[in-house]
Amino acid sequence: GGREQIMCLTPDIADVGHFVPAGSALDAEARDRGTSIYLVDRRIDMLPAVLSEQLCSLRADADRYAMSILWNVDPATLKVSRVWCGKTIIHSSYELAYGDAQAIVDGRSCKAADAMKNNLDQVRESLSLLVQMSRALRRARKERGALQLESVEVKFELSEDETQAPKGIKVKEAMEVHSMVEEMMVWANETAAEQIYRAFPESALLRRHPQPRKVDFEPLVKVAASKGFSIDPTSNKTLAQSLDAAVVPSDPSVNFLLRSMATFAMAEAVYFSTHEVEEDEFYHYGLAATFYTHFTSPIRRYADLVVHRQLWESVRERQVRKARVRDGMQLPAPNPELAQSSVIGRVCVHINKQNRAAKCAQRDSVVFFQALYFGSLEGGAEEGAVVYE
């Protein structure tokens, strides 16, 4: 009766590297693009649609190549007793939209739930357990100093004719299953970062978020003081605590706006090769993570594809050596670029530049369509607030 419960938890990410060999023409094009770009009226993919929408899309009732991280974890304490990383073939039983997953957790009816029939209770139990674990992960990150910042993500309804003019605009609904997936992905990214740093101490592709400059918090401190609140930006933990305390019960928008201003003050998170900075500068300020990278979206980010290759290189030698002893296999030659700090450093410089350009294009696209939408309205007035100009 005293034995702890152990659960096997596995985030499975599409094995894009299986279809995009290093050094191939497809790899060169993906590296050049660096990232997919999401505009209001279109998406410019990093990879061809046959990969991003079909072969690397984890569909229900279909075999798919994946890169997987397996944790043996006690769901009550989040204590991990074993970590395994490697290539897998997965077969998903169901494919759920966020709204369907949230409906199942909430016990509400939806088409996806109705189709599950006898398996619905098992799926709901699994999703509910993941939600509970994500809450515990979020609490633990918050205790370490992780920030909860705010930004408004809008969704446009476009006309179906060739003009694609905006007909409506609304704020995207926040759901707890969004946070659940986010927490699991952050955990997977942290695990991948630790694994590749151990294997490639001079050339691991990681992501860091430097501490913002104190001067960048001055607008936030000034606005908060006008409402009677004191903001302490000494560290991420003191900032998080002072933002938590800056609450006007009768007006929730005050805290939302202050958190939005804190977002504006943040320094830019960047990719880097580990030979470039000292280990104490690897820290991700916003997530309070000692080691961090991007592993979970190789379909739309080239950085993740490089991380997949480094992660596989870090584990494949041991796996193939066992098979070679058993079956007489020859050990394939490693990819030398993965261990060359200068090569990884140049990749980081390029994809950082591409990410900045993509973010600017995405932001400008939203601003443009907002202007089109509000310019099409006749008369009327709406209350609003200028947060920071």
Side-chain angles (χ1 to χ4, degrees):
R3 296 178 62 185
E4 60 184 12
Q5 179 186 2
I6 298 297
M7 181 176 70
C8 177
L9 183 60
T10 310
D12 301 304
I13 309 299
D15 183 10
V16 175
H18 180 83
F19 300 97
V20 185
S24 65
L26 191 55
D27 179 54
E29 181 65 24
R31 180 186 297 202
D32 188 52
R33 296 187 178 206
T35 182
S36 295
I37 304 172
Y38 296 82
L39 307 180
V40 169
D41 60 337
R42 72 196 71 183
R43 186 183 73 216
I44 303 170
D45 288 328
M46 184 183 79
L47 294 170
V50 68
L51 294 181
S52 60
E53 297 177 9
Q54 297 180 40
L55 296 176
C56 296
S57 182
L58 304 184
R59 302 295 179 85
D61 202 27
D63 290 344
R64 287 292 185 265
Y65 293 108
M67 280 289 290
S68 301
I69 295 176
L70 182 150
W71 300 298
N72 282 353
V73 57
D74 182 341
T77 64
L78 300 183
K79 180 181 178 182
V80 177
S81 56
R82 176 175 177 253
V83 177
W84 178 91
C85 305
K87 289 178 178 277
T88 56
I89 297 176
I90 67 168
H91 189 96
S92 299
S93 299
Y94 301 104
E95 182 179 357
L96 294 177
Y98 282 109
D100 291 333
Q102 190 65 60
I104 291 171
V105 170
D106 295 341
R108 293 182 281 112
S109 178
C110 63
K111 287 185 178 180
D114 294 340
M116 291 177 183
K117 299 179 181 177
N118 296 334
N119 295 325
L120 177 59
D121 288 342
Q122 183 180 353
V123 172
R124 178 176 291 124
E125 181 182 357
S126 297
L127 286 173
S128 298
L129 180 57
L130 287 173
V131 167
Q132 293 170 18
M133 290 181 66
S134 71
R135 292 171 183 166
L137 287 168
R138 191 158 53 250
R139 283 195 300 270
R141 279 204 304 119
K142 188 173 180 180
E143 289 172 3
R144 297 199 306 266
L147 299 173
Q148 178 190 342
L149 302 178
E150 297 288 357
S151 61
V152 177
E153 189 174 359
V154 297
K155 184 176 182 179
F156 291 87
E157 179 186 359
L158 304 179
S159 63
E160 297 181 3
D161 59 24
E162 62 182 13
T163 67
Q164 290 192 294
K167 298 191 301 181
I169 182 172
K170 63 181 180 180
V171 176
K172 287 188 178 180
E173 180 186 0
M175 305 179 196
E176 189 168 23
V177 290
H178 288 144
S179 297
M180 176 194 77
V181 172
E182 179 184 348
E183 291 298 331
M184 296 301 166
M185 296 302 98
V186 167
W187 195 6
N189 287 336
E190 288 181 292
T191 301
E194 292 181 30
Q195 295 281 333
I196 65 173
Y197 178 51
R198 284 202 295 266
F200 299 95
E202 295 296 318
S203 63
L205 193 158
L206 301 187
R207 186 167 175 83
R208 68 191 185 99
H209 184 206
Q211 180 167 344
R213 301 175 305 169
K214 191 172 182 179
V215 66
D216 293 328
F217 285 112
E218 288 179 359
L220 168 63
V221 172
K222 183 177 179 181
V223 170
S226 72
K227 291 292 185 179
F229 299 114
S230 175
I231 298 294
D232 181 2
T234 305
S235 69
N236 50 1
K237 190 165 187 175
T238 60
L239 176 62
Q241 290 171 340
S242 51
L243 286 172
D244 286 344
V247 175
V248 177
S250 60
D251 188 0
S253 66
V254 171
N255 188 261
F256 179 87
L257 294 177
L258 292 176
R259 291 183 186 274
S260 298
M261 293 188 71
T263 303
F264 295 139
M266 292 296 109
E268 180 185 39
V270 293
Y271 299 108
F272 69 102
S273 174
T274 45
H275 78 285
E276 297 172 343
V277 298
E278 297 297 323
E279 187 174 309
D280 60 0
E281 296 182 54
F282 291 5
Y283 190 66
H284 195 293
Y285 176 87
L287 295 173
T290 304
F291 300 102
Y292 196 70
T293 193
H294 276 161
F295 162 79
T296 55
S297 296
I299 291 174
R300 63 181 180 91
R301 292 188 302 232
Y302 190 77
D304 302 51
L305 181 53
V306 175
V307 169
H308 275 222
R309 290 169 179 162
Q310 289 190 327
L311 184 62
W312 174 235
E313 193 66 37
S314 73
V315 299
R316 77 170 184 93
E317 189 170 336
R318 181 175 65 254
Q319 294 179 341
V320 175
R321 187 182 296 117
K322 291 179 180 178
R324 183 180 59 179
V325 170
R326 185 181 67 240
D327 303 324
M329 291 176 57
Q330 292 297 312
L331 186 67
N335 179 355
E337 287 194 350
L338 297 177
Q340 292 178 13
S341 56
S342 60
V343 172
I344 300 300
R346 288 195 296 272
V347 169
C348 290
V349 169
H350 176 69
I351 58 180
N352 284 332
K353 183 185 73 172
Q354 293 300 96
N355 280 346
R356 286 187 210 104
K359 287 179 181 177
C360 287
Q362 290 162 195
R363 183 188 63 232
D364 290 348
S365 176
V366 170
V367 171
F368 176 68
F369 273 82
Q370 284 175 336
L372 286 179
Y373 173 69
F374 288 112
S376 69
L377 301 180
E378 296 181 3
E382 295 287 341
E383 288 188 3
V386 176
V387 180
Y388 179 47
E389 186 62 48

